């Protein structure tokens, strides 16, 4: 048997991680993120601070891990009947979720982490799912959609006073779909 005795995939380690993630999410709802500390998280999760430091190294890495876990989609993108409408529905939801205060904070946490490329992997998979659903329609590449649709959304959320307007989002989607 290849599994070492005493190691349970999804066992105690997964329960500890979920407890810590839950503690982080609860504390972020109760107070300003700048005031959240590793000792508070540990106390709420029922672990020692050393457990957190051993696994994540520091608070920034833990916050990024929680943000990445929250960014993973719960389900496949909505099916609305056409490539254009599926991409619009996905992009509108992404804009709405990421331009919220929790979404902005998640993006900042991930941006500060050592694994920001993971977000591209998540987004690319979602867009590839949409494209694969419509084999009879001419589709742009996933990279083109990321460059023309996702990148402006992220840039405006992180660096501008206001998020992209939905009408501008639709315009960018039209550009991406018409230039393949």
């Amino acid at each position: 048997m290849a599994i070492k005795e005493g190691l349970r995939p999804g066992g105690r380690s997964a329960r500890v991680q979920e407890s810590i993630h839950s503690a982080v999410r609860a504390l972020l709802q109760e107070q300003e993120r700048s005031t959240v500390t590793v000792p508070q998280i540990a106390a709420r999760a029922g672990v020692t601070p050393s457990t957190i430091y051993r696994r994540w190294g520091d608070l920034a890495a833990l916050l990024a891990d929680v943000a990445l876990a929250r960014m993973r989609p719960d389900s496949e993108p909505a099916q609305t009947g056409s490539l254009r409408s599926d991409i619009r529905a996905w992009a509108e939801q992404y804009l709405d979720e990421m331009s919220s205060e929790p979404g902005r904070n998640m993006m900042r946490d991930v941006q500060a982490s050592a694994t920001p490329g993971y977000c591209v992997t998540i987004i690319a998979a979602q867009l590839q799912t949409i494209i694969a659903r419509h084999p009879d329609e001419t589709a742009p590449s996933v990279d083109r959609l990321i460059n023309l649709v996702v990148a402006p959304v992220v840039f405006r959320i992180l660096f501008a006073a206001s998020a992209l307007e939905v009408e501008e989002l639709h315009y960018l989607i039209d550009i991406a779909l018409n230039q393949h």
Side-chain angles (χ1 to χ4, degrees):
M1 188 167 188
I3 298 175
K4 293 183 179 179
E5 192 174 328
L7 294 180
R8 295 173 299 170
R12 183 177 61 239
S13 180
R15 287 192 302 273
V16 168
Q17 179 177 321
E18 180 49 37
S19 176
I20 293 168
H21 276 219
S22 293
V24 169
R25 289 189 302 269
L27 287 167
L28 290 175
Q29 287 184 341
E30 296 170 9
Q31 63 192 61
E32 292 293 318
R33 13 190 336 274
S34 61
T35 65
V36 173
T37 66
V38 169
Q40 286 177 314
I41 296 166
R44 176 73 63 99
V47 300
T48 63
S50 64
T51 299
I52 292 171
Y53 289 119
R54 192 170 40 254
R55 185 164 191 157
W56 286 279
D58 62 18
L59 180 59
L62 172 56
L63 292 175
D65 190 47
V66 171
L68 286 169
R70 289 187 64 202
M71 288 181 133
R72 285 184 211 108
D74 295 331
S75 60
E76 287 195 354
Q79 294 188 39
T80 62
S82 74
L83 177 64
R84 182 179 308 275
S85 62
D86 281 6
I87 291 173
R88 275 188 172 195
W90 178 88
E92 287 172 9
Q93 180 179 354
Y94 183 79
L95 173 64
D96 186 52
E97 290 174 359
M98 293 301 124
S99 62
S100 68
E101 193 59 33
R104 285 178 194 266
N105 289 335
M106 283 191 314
M107 290 178 102
R108 289 182 184 116
D109 289 338
V110 171
Q111 183 184 21
S113 80
T115 57
Y118 186 67
C119 290
V120 173
T121 303
I122 294 170
I123 291 167
Q126 292 276 288
L127 293 171
Q128 187 57 52
T129 296
I130 293 169
I131 290 168
R133 273 189 207 143
H134 303 282
D136 296 336
E137 295 186 54
T138 304
S141 69
V142 168
D143 281 344
R144 180 169 298 272
L145 287 169
I146 289 172
N147 293 341
L148 294 176
V149 179
V150 179
V153 169
V154 172
F155 183 86
R156 290 290 301 263
I157 288 170
L158 291 176
F159 302 112
S162 62
L164 201 65
E165 295 291 329
V166 173
E167 295 77 24
E168 184 70 8
L169 179 68
H170 291 173
Y171 177 70
L172 294 171
I173 291 167
D174 289 344
I175 291 172
L177 291 175
N178 292 328
Q179 296 183 357
H180 12 270

